[in-house]
Amino acid sequence: MTEILPPVDRYNQLLDQIVQMTLKGNIRSKEQVYQLLVEGVSPGTGELFERCLQTHVERVQVELATQPDELKQAKAARRRRALQTIQGEWDRWQQQNQATEAIASVIQAIVGAENAHRLTEFLRAIDPNQPQSLSTTQLKQLAIALQKQGDVSDTDTQQELFQLAAGIRQGLESWDRVQSHLVSWIYDQEQTLGFTGTPGQSNPWAVWSKQLTNPLLVQLFRALSLNESVSDVAARMVDLDMRTWVELVILLQYLQQGLIAWFDRLIYDAKVGAKLSISTFLAFSIIWSQLARGFAQATTLNSLHRTQFSEGAFQVTLQILRLFAQRPYFPLYGGVFASFPGSQLRSIVNYLNEPLKRVEGTQEKARILTLIGSSERAQGLLDRAKEFHDIAREIAAEAGDRPCEIANLNHLSRTCVAQKQYSEAINYSQRALILSRQSGDRLGEANALVNLGYSDVLQAQQVEQAEPEVYETAINYLQQGLKLAEQLGDRQSQAFAFNSLGIAHVVLEQPTAAIEYLTEGLKAAQVSGDLYLQGLNLAYLAEAYYRLKETNRAIYAGSLGMYFLESIASREWRQPAGLLTILKGQLGEAFATTLAQLRPELIPVIGVDGYDHLPVLLEQYRQLE
C-alpha cells in the first residue's frame, strides 16, 4: 500500500524531483515541467505549493550568497535556474487553473445556498464590479458544471440547477443572435442617438426583439420599443421560470456592456460617447428597477419566484449603478436627461429610490445620490433634493471623495437659490469655492464661482441693494466661472455659466445682453444634452424677447421652453406658460395665428405631437391658476 504524504511533504518532494531531473538533463522542455505540475499539484492547494516553492528559492539564494566552494556554488546556480523555470511554469499553471478554481468556487456557493438565495450567488458571480467576474468562456463552463451537479443532487436542487444551466446557455445563445445587431439601429434612424427613437420602429429594442426566439423576452423588448410600462409587463408575465429569468439577465448585461464599450470607443467625439454611455447606464438601471417592481407584484408567480426575481432585479440595478458611479464621466453636475422620453424621466427617481435604500454608506452611493438630487431639483422637488445632497455630501466627505463633496455643496447652493434662500446659497457656494481651490478641483471651482455670482445677484435684487459695485462683483464671479469652464472644455458647466449670466442680466433688466448669454447657453446645453438647462435658457430667452417687444421670438422660445421643462416633469414649465398666457391675453386671436406661423420652426424640434401638445399645456396652466 502506497503511503499518502501530507501536501507539504509531497510538494517538497515534487520540487526536488523536478530540480534533480533538470540537473541530470532529463528535462527537455518547459512543457515537460508544466505537465509535471499539472499531474502533481491538486486543485485548491496552490497556496501550499507556492509556499514550498518560495522556501526552495530562499534556500538556494542563501547558499549562493554564503557558499565559498565554486563547484557547489555552480551547482546551486543551476538549481536556481531550474527553480526559475518551475516558477515560470507555475505562473502559467495558475493562469490556466484560475478559471477552474473560480468556477469550482461559484458551484460550491450556488449548490450550498438555500433555494431562495441561489440566484443571489449566481448574480454575485457575474457582477461586473467583482475583480474576477466570470467571462463568456467561464459561463459556458459553469453551465456544463451545473448540469453535472444537477445529476447528483436532490430533486428540487436538481431542477433549479438544470434551469440555471439552461438559462445561461440560452442567454449566451440570445446574445450571439443579437450581437451583430448591437448598434445597427443607430445607422437606421435619422435622429439623436439614445433610447428614444420612434416607438416600435427606429429604436434598439425593436431591432433586437426581431432576433429573439423566447416569447417572453420578445414581449418585453417590444414593450420597451413602444415605451410601455416595463413594470406592468413584468407583473403580467405568465410561465416565467428561472431559465428565462437567467437568460434575460445575461442578455441585458451583454447588451449593456456591448453598448458602453462601443460608445466609449467613439474617438471622433469622446464627449458624445460619454453622454451615450451615461444614457445607457441609466436606461438599463431604470429597466431593472421597473422589472423589480413588476416581479414583486406578479400574481402569476409563486411566492418563491416572486421574491427571487424581484430581489435579483434589485441586485442587478445596484450592480449597474455602482459600476456607473466608478466611471470618470459620471455626471456630478447633471446633464443626464438627453436620451430619455418624458414618461421615463417622470419616474426615474422613484424607480431608483428603493435599491439605493439597500446600499450602505459607500462612495458609490454618494455619487448616485448626487445624480438623483440634481434630478429632483430639476423637477422642482427642492426639499427632497436638499435631503439627497446633504446625505451625499456627508458620505462623500467620509469616503474622501472631495469632487463629489464639492459637487453637492454646489448643488445645495443652487437648490437654495431655487428656494429664494440666498444667504444659504452664498454660504454653500463659498464653502465649495474654498474646498475646490484647496483640492485643485477646477470643475468644482468653476461651478462654485458661477453659483456665488448668481446668488449674489439675486440676493442684491431681493433686498433692493442696487449699488453698482455689488452687481459688478457678482457679474465678475460669473465671468470667472465661465472662463474657467471654457478652459476646461466642459460644456455642461459652460451651459450653466451662460444660463446664470443670462438670468442675471434679465434680473438686471438688460435684455439685450441677456439674449447673447442665453443663446450661447442654449447651444452649450444642446451639446451637453441637458434638457433642463435647454428649457431654462429658452424660458428666460422668452422673458428677454418679451421685454424687447419681439413677440414672435418670445412665443417661439417660450413654447419650446415650456415643452422641454414639462417633458422632464420640471415645475418650472409654468414660468414660460405664464408668459405665453399673458401674450395670449394681449394678442387675442393673433396669438394662435403667430403660433401657426411658427409651426415650421417648431416641428423640426419637438415634432407634430409636440406642437399639438402646446395648447394642451396652456390649458393645463390656465386650470392651475
Side-chain angles (χ1 to χ4, degrees), residues 56-355:
H56 279 66
V57 170
E58 289 171 356
R59 191 181 301 150
V60 79
Q61 293 284 21
V62 170
E63 188 174 353
L64 282 167
T66 59
Q67 179 56 253
D69 188 292
E70 290 186 5
L71 288 175
K72 291 182 178 179
Q73 194 172 64
K75 188 174 181 181
R78 290 176 63 199
R79 286 205 305 275
R80 182 177 62 180
R81 286 195 294 273
L83 289 169
Q84 287 172 341
T85 300
I86 295 172
Q87 180 67 61
E89 295 311 297
W90 170 244
D91 291 341
R92 178 185 164 197
W93 185 96
Q94 284 183 304
Q95 290 176 0
Q96 294 288 340
N97 286 272
Q98 195 171 43
T100 303
E101 292 190 356
I103 292 170
S105 176
V106 171
I107 289 287
Q108 185 178 3
I110 291 174
V111 174
E114 297 178 5
N115 286 1
H117 301 300
R118 284 216 172 88
L119 275 183
T120 300
E121 294 299 334
F122 169 70
L123 292 174
R124 185 175 289 121
I126 63 170
D127 183 356
N129 295 284
Q130 298 294 332
Q132 294 182 345
S133 178
L134 297 183
S135 65
T136 303
T137 302
Q138 291 171 324
L139 274 174
K140 291 177 181 177
Q141 294 172 346
L142 176 62
I144 295 170
L146 285 170
Q147 187 77 31
K148 292 178 179 177
Q149 287 287 327
D151 290 335
V152 295
S153 302
D154 63 82
T155 305
D156 290 341
T157 302
Q158 182 184 68
Q159 184 65 23
E160 282 213 349
L161 296 181
F162 282 167
Q163 289 226 350
L164 192 52
I168 294 170
R169 287 196 300 272
Q170 289 177 192
L172 294 173
E173 289 168 4
S174 292
W175 167 240
D176 282 340
R177 286 191 291 271
V178 172
Q179 188 173 8
S180 59
H181 302 271
L182 178 65
V183 293
S184 63
W185 52 276
I186 290 175
Y187 304 102
D188 296 336
Q189 62 179 9
E190 298 178 356
Q191 46 189 311
T192 305
L193 297 181
F195 290 89
T196 50
T198 302
Q201 297 175 22
S202 56
N203 66 61
W205 307 107
V207 174
W208 297 334
S209 68
K210 296 174 184 176
Q211 320 309 321
L212 302 176
T213 57
N214 188 318
L216 289 178
L217 298 196
V218 172
Q219 177 189 357
L220 175 63
F221 277 48
R222 285 179 178 168
L224 284 163
S225 77
L226 295 169
N227 196 28
E228 294 176 355
S229 168
V230 175
S231 295
D232 290 346
V233 174
R236 295 194 305 266
M237 278 190 175
V238 180
D239 299 328
L240 178 65
D241 55 15
M242 184 181 290
R243 178 182 55 188
T244 295
W245 195 92
V246 170
E247 179 183 357
L248 177 63
V249 170
I250 291 173
L251 176 58
L252 287 183
Q253 185 183 83
Y254 276 76
L255 281 170
Q256 173 198 319
Q257 291 174 347
L259 284 173
I260 289 169
W262 195 84
F263 292 145
D264 284 352
R265 288 196 299 268
L266 289 181
I267 301 171
Y268 67 88
D269 195 334
K271 291 181 179 178
V272 170
K275 187 174 78 172
L276 293 171
S277 294
I278 289 169
S279 295
T280 304
F281 273 117
L282 285 170
F284 281 84
S285 61
I286 290 169
I287 288 167
W288 278 109
S289 296
Q290 289 180 286
L291 286 170
R293 179 172 296 185
F295 292 141
Q297 299 169 351
T299 56
T300 57
L301 297 176
N302 63 47
S303 58
L304 175 61
H305 280 169
R306 196 157 51 239
T307 300
Q308 276 186 315
F309 298 163
S310 178
E311 291 288 332
F314 277 127
Q315 191 175 345
V316 175
T317 305
L318 288 175
Q319 289 177 358
I320 295 170
L321 290 173
R322 283 175 162 167
L323 190 66
F324 182 30
Q326 296 166 37
R327 291 298 174 109
Y329 47 68
F330 184 83
L332 285 172
Y333 289 95
V336 300
F337 299 114
S339 299
F340 297 96
S343 58
Q344 285 189 353
L345 292 173
R346 290 186 177 90
S347 303
I348 181 173
V349 175
N350 291 333
Y351 288 144
L352 299 183
N353 272 349
E354 180 58 31

Side-chain angles (χ1 to χ4, degrees), residues 11-12 48 70 101 150 194 212 274 309 327 398 435 472 548:
Y11 293 152
N12 283 327
L48 287 175
E70 290 186 5
E101 292 190 356
L212 302 176
F309 298 163
R327 291 298 174 109
E398 187 176 342
L435 283 178
E472 286 174 11
L548 291 174

